[in-house]
Amino acid sequence: MAIEIIGTGRAVPPKKVSNDDLAALIDTSDEWIRSHTGIGNRHIADESVACSDLAVEAAKNALAMAGGYTGNDPDQRDKAAEQAAAAIDVIILATATADFFGTPSTACVVQSKIGALNAMAMDITAGCTGFVYGLETASGLLSVNPLRKRALVIGSEILSKMTNWDDRGTCVLFGDGAGAVIIEKTLDNRESGLLYSLLRADGSGNESLVMRRGGSRNPYKKGEVVDTGICIEMNGQEVYNFAVKAITDTLETLMKTKIEGLGDISIERIARIIPHQANARIVQAAAKRLRIPIEKFYLNIEEYANTSSATIPIALDELNRSGQLNKGDLILTVGFGGGLTYGGNIIII
Ligand code: UT7
């Protein structure tokens, strides 16, 4: 049995906000943001757009590709996506910025909008590691049940609505976006597709990256004057140190993993590493510690900033649609984020 990726898609809001645009509104500068994070821009959704809206667009692009259509005609894309959606058995949507608090899941909203009438649908909360977790969860759900064949895995975020725009330490870091993949279970015994996932958590760091208000721990109370919405609070230094160790440890472990028929996962054997991108300096520090050339890492943080669970699937789709993924390529993903969570996937294209 193999779990193959047969379609990828992404959706990013058209509105691009540069560092200079932010510097006109808050006390920051292009120089500070670039030198401390590698971020140049972020895409921000309009007020009317919710997590499911971006997720649906990314999903339709991935579904259309799975159905054989990769062109730009919206009607043809929708037609191909509609047909492919009927064959989806599982929808897993990773997000920290769901349409609704608690229920319904954003995955269910997406299921209805794309017409995946035969699919189960659920969200997972694993911060920026959400897509890495989601891929393994979906793969497991396909593997255990002979009747399930195809899954849609999405990472989608509207972080701009959960950002405290008065906190320059966090608001410059995040952007909105969504990425999606379709995976299919094949009965061939091939060494390809999703081969292995490493999933880890260190819940002792749960307060380092937190949306403190609104949950059952700290609900808004009747009559309370709400001066800020639910927003991300982060202990940047703590998360930074965790992140460098998480990337380094994850990649080291993945590279030591023995998979029958694959041989050693040497640096030369790896075609690309797709890291979660919260800060280019985190990736550079891990690359240096592991003595992996930085060129192996696919970085697009300059354009999108940190899009949490969407970062890895957006990058995967960019590589795929620009013809940079070849049959047989070995790809490692590596994620880290709120929870705290971390992990990675080994994928052969
Ligand atoms: O995806 C989820 C996981 N998230 C992460 O992995 C994020 C991890 N953390 C980081 O990437 C970094 O810690 C940050 C980018 C958040 C912060 O970088 P830093 O180099 O650790 O900066 P800092 O917080 O130590 O702040 C240094 C200085 C401070 O000024 P003083 O106190 O030294 O005068 C800050 O007030 O930089 C100041 N500062 C800013 N200045 C201009 C903080 N934010 C800004 C800003 N513009 N936006």
Side-chain angles (χ1 to χ4, degrees), residues 191 255 257-266 269 330:
E191 265 75 50
M255 288 170 72
T257 305
K258 296 284 175 219
I259 295 170
E260 215 183 305
L262 186 65
D264 286 346
I265 304 179
S266 62
R269 177 73 178 87
L330 193 157

Side-chain angles (χ1 to χ4, degrees), residues 277-299:
Q277 295 166 49
N279 184 334
R281 283 166 54 212
I282 294 173
V283 180
Q284 285 153 3
K288 200 170 161 197
R289 279 194 198 173
L290 292 166
R291 296 202 173 84
I292 299 176
I294 192 71
E295 299 72 37
K296 285 271 180 199
F297 292 81
Y298 183 73
L299 291 176

